[in-house]
Amino acid sequence: MSGVSGETRTKPVKEKIVIWLLAVFLLTTVSFAEAQQSAKLAKIGFLGAGGLGGAGSGSELFKRELRALGYVEGKNIAIDYRSTEGKRDRLPALADDLVRLKVDVLVTSSTIAALAAKNATRTIPIIFYTVTDPVAAGLVDSLTRPGGNITGITDIGAVFVWQTAGVTQGNHSQALPRSSAVGSTESWQCATMEESQLPARELGLQLHSMEVSSPDKYEGMFKEAIKARSAALAVISSPLVSSNRKRIADLAAKNRLPAIHQRGDVAGGGLMSYGPDRAEPYKRVASMADKILKGAKPADLPGEQPTRFEFVINLKTAKALNLTIPQSVLFRADRVIK
């Protein structure tokens, strides 16, 4: 009886030991898998000087391009978003916040956002876009040899809306009076206006520059443009402009002043726009981020310029302004809003 009893007592003990070892093995395996997944989770900081927006916004387009490269948010990449929502004085604090999170790459959406990021870190790689002149802004040493921890995609603000591959010269000279004075709604890209003077003179246009630093000054700017007898308003893209598109469109309509945009903001009432394809910068920024996450250094990645452009005309606005757009100009448009 005692032998039988001994076997009965020993068997459960052996089973418990086996179960315990199996549990330890499973826990160890799960912990290892989690650690392995965590190690592969790259961090990207996204710093915007305007609102981040929803579908179709810059942040969404950026995520779409990352997905095309195999990055899935929450699986192998994490993106921390920070936006000033139009309050530019918040940029330094937001940039510092992303640096404290120890992101692997910082993506910035404007000159002032890129400058805030550069002031916040000299080690974390920074990729900028929507920057007109990164050299003049002090972001990089040169476009081909950026140097330091920053590189990115430039804009076309330096050539303004008047000159891109010789196409817009014909477009605007045919659509507008040749003696037009043109106002600029920009406060921190002075180089843009300076570099626009030559192509404007070649078209027989006189540029009248007006600087706007806050939304409450737009109405005064339009009054100044009318007083200067401007025939059209050229709007250079900036975070301030992006946050006040409707206000600009409404004031342009109220003052019967054709608004010509650097980027595709004509759906809200602008007359025409000529600028880089909106999705292209996000594709190229995502590609740069991918290279950096795989070991490349920003100093070794030359800055890039736009290669695809879009010309859009709003015929509704033209009719409201009693302005006739020549058929030859309409034929050149990529999109016509009727």
Side-chain angles (χ1 to χ4, degrees):
M1 292 292 291
S2 59
V4 176
S5 177
E7 285 184 31
T8 306
R9 285 197 301 269
T10 304
K11 189 174 181 181
V13 172
K14 289 181 178 179
E15 288 179 350
K16 286 179 181 179
I17 292 172
V18 171
I19 292 170
W20 181 79
L21 288 172
L22 181 61
V24 169
F25 173 76
L26 288 173
L27 285 171
T28 305
T29 305
V30 170
S31 298
F32 177 75
E34 287 177 347
Q36 195 174 40
Q37 185 179 17
S38 177
K40 292 181 180 179
L41 197 67
K43 287 184 181 180
I44 292 181
F46 192 102
L47 182 61
L52 289 175
S57 66
S59 55
E60 286 301 312
L61 289 171
F62 179 57
K63 283 199 296 185
R64 184 189 72 184
E65 297 302 335
L66 283 175
R67 283 195 295 270
L69 292 170
Y71 293 96
V72 180
E73 199 169 8
K75 183 177 180 182
N76 57 0
I77 198 165
I79 306 177
D80 288 290
Y81 300 96
R82 298 293 184 275
S83 171
T84 65
E85 298 296 339
K87 298 176 182 177
R88 295 189 292 173
D89 58 336
R90 297 178 58 200
L91 277 170
L94 294 175
D96 288 339
D97 188 28
L98 288 171
V99 170
R100 279 193 296 271
L101 290 174
K102 297 181 179 180
V103 295
D104 298 296
V105 182
L106 252 172
V107 176
T108 64
S109 66
S110 68
T111 301
I112 52 175
L115 286 170
K118 185 176 181 180
N119 289 335
T121 177
R122 300 290 177 177
T123 55
I124 295 175
I126 299 169
I127 304 173
F128 60 75
Y129 67 97
T130 320
V131 170
T132 301
D133 192 339
V135 177
L139 290 170
V140 297
D141 297 334
S142 72
L143 205 57
T144 54
R145 296 177 182 273
N149 63 320
I150 186 166
T151 188
I153 316 298
T154 68
D155 210 343
I156 63 159
V159 295
F160 213 22
V161 279
W162 313 112
Q163 185 183 43
T164 304
V167 177
T168 48
Q169 288 185 355
N171 288 346
H172 291 292
S173 63
Q174 291 179 57
L176 298 173
R178 294 194 54 90
S179 59
S180 300
V182 183
S184 165
T185 59
E186 185 55 64
S187 61
W188 49 270
Q189 282 184 320
C190 297
T192 299
M193 281 301 298
E194 291 174 6
E195 295 180 24
S196 300
Q197 294 292 346
L198 179 59
R201 282 197 296 270
E202 290 175 349
L203 290 171
L205 300 171
Q206 178 187 354
L207 295 185
H208 176 65
S209 175
M210 294 173 292
E211 297 181 1
V212 179
S213 57
S214 60
D216 60 339
K217 294 184 179 180
Y218 276 120
E219 193 149 356
M221 184 210 67
F222 273 92
K223 289 179 181 178
E224 185 182 340
I226 297 301
K227 186 178 179 180
R229 302 179 68 182
S230 296
L233 180 75
V235 185
I236 303 176
S237 294
S238 74
L240 184 63
V241 167
S242 297
S243 301
N244 292 275
R245 289 171 180 165
K246 188 176 187 307
R247 184 175 178 80
I248 294 170
D250 291 345
L251 285 169
K254 177 182 175 181
N255 291 278
R256 301 187 63 77
L257 198 62
I260 306 167
H261 297 260
Q262 179 185 333
R263 207 174 302 279
D265 291 336
V266 297
L271 174 65
M272 61 177 69
S273 70
Y274 193 100
D277 177 80
R278 187 165 182 268
E280 185 190 20
Y282 302 102
K283 184 174 184 177
R284 296 167 81 173
V285 168
S287 176
M288 281 187 171
D290 176 50
K291 291 174 182 177
I292 289 172
L293 290 174
K294 289 176 179 176
K297 296 180 179 180
D300 299 328
L301 295 176
E304 300 180 15
Q305 295 176 317
T307 58
R308 296 171 56 190
F309 299 87
E310 185 181 43
F311 179 37
V312 183
I313 298 174
N314 190 328
L315 278 184
K316 290 181 180 179
T317 300
K319 290 176 182 177
L321 296 170
N322 196 27
L323 182 65
T324 301
I325 307 294
Q327 198 65 40
S328 58
V329 176
L330 292 174
F331 282 146
R332 296 180 188 181
D334 297 288
R335 186 160 58 96
V336 176
I337 300 174
K338 298 180 180 180

